[in-house]
Amino acid sequence: MMRRTVLRAAGLLLGLGAASRLALAGVSESDAASGIRAALERGANAAIAGLGKPDGFMNNPTVRIELPGYLKDGAKLLQMTGQGKSVDELLLAMNRAAEAAVPAAKPLLVSAIKSMSVEDGLQILKGGDDAVTQFFAGKTRQPLSQQLLPIVTQATQKVALADKYNAVAGKAVGLGLVKSQDANIQQYVTAKTLDGLYLMIAEEERKIRKDPLGSGSAILKKVFGGGA
């Protein structure tokens, strides 16, 4: 344990790169990539399990989907004046749509993880807090958007307010009150679903970095725990 601590401290104090720190800890680049793959797969499974269920989005303030731009302020005003029932129904429908769509993302996420290169793994290992998000966004956002959009569309069609949202938001774009990419509720919810999913995977990966010994995985202990 003392040796691990000394090696870790030496790497930080000397400002060594990721490859040099791995070498000091006796971890090969191949092992590092395997460790990242294991961390991401574990994180993806945990995130999907946590989000892809009733209230997975709705009751999680970190990823809960709210109305965009000025529509959020308008919703607050309606709620304050006792006219918030319709707004509440729309918010619930948006978050339920996200919860229904998340499980369908698993195959593509797993595929991206399994095809990850050693270089990808090292970039994540030495990257910042958004390294995991950037990796998944680059590899899966476009195909996942296409895959999840029909699921979100089907879910939001159950609420008549969805069409009203699109009509109001479309006008708001022309006034600069809502971003153009947020003017369609189906596309907006799909994008927010992916944002929330990537964020929770990154959160799970940060937990592993913080407590690799608690993961129960030999490769994770080796890579994130500072060596064998």
Side-chain angles (χ1 to χ4, degrees):
M1 180 63 71
M2 179 63 71
R3 176 177 175 272
R4 293 178 189 173
T5 303
V6 171
L7 288 175
R8 232 183 256 160
L12 291 172
L13 289 174
L14 295 175
L16 297 175
S20 298
R21 292 197 299 273
L22 289 172
L24 278 175
V27 180
S28 69
E29 291 186 358
S30 177
D31 278 347
S34 295
I36 288 294
R37 287 192 191 97
L40 294 185
E41 188 162 1
R42 182 167 297 205
N45 287 333
I48 290 171
L51 296 175
K53 64 181 182 180
D55 292 330
F57 273 83
M58 192 68 185
N59 282 1
N60 185 338
T62 303
V63 296
R64 176 185 160 107
I65 301 175
E66 303 285 355
L67 292 171
Y70 97 105
L71 293 179
K72 183 176 180 179
D73 296 330
K76 289 180 180 178
L77 180 61
L78 286 174
Q79 289 168 333
M80 289 173 61
T81 57
Q83 304 176 57
K85 183 178 179 181
S86 294
V87 174
D88 291 340
E89 290 176 357
L90 179 57
L91 287 174
L92 181 62
M94 290 164 56
N95 284 275
R96 288 288 185 261
E99 293 157 7
V102 159
K106 186 173 181 177
L108 270 174
L109 292 176
V110 171
S111 177
I113 293 166
K114 289 183 176 179
S115 63
M116 187 186 76
S117 67
V118 171
E119 181 60 29
D120 287 332
L122 292 176
Q123 287 295 324
I124 293 174
L125 188 62
K126 68 183 181 181
D129 287 346
D130 66 343
V132 173
T133 301
Q134 293 299 322
F135 168 76
F136 276 118
K139 300 288 185 180
T140 67
R141 180 173 281 276
Q142 184 174 359
L144 277 180
S145 294
Q146 295 174 352
Q147 183 174 330
L148 300 190
L149 182 59
I151 301 174
V152 171
T153 299
Q154 184 178 13
T156 54
Q157 281 177 342
K158 298 177 182 179
V159 183
L161 288 171
D163 291 334
K164 294 181 179 179
Y165 168 98
N166 289 343
V168 173
K171 294 178 180 178
V173 169
L175 300 175
L177 299 174
V178 171
K179 296 178 181 178
S180 59
Q181 64 265 31
D182 296 340
N184 177 278
I185 191 172
Q186 291 84 3
Q187 293 177 355
Y188 172 70
V189 171
T190 299
K192 288 297 183 182
T193 299
L194 290 177
D195 288 345
L197 179 58
Y198 296 149
L199 177 62
M200 295 312 295
I201 293 174
E203 287 293 328
E204 291 296 329
E205 190 239 356
R206 272 195 284 273
K207 292 178 184 177
I208 293 173
R209 286 179 186 260
K210 185 176 180 180
D211 183 24
L213 298 180
S215 69
S217 168
I219 189 63
L220 292 177
K221 291 177 185 177
K222 185 175 183 180
V223 173
F224 296 105

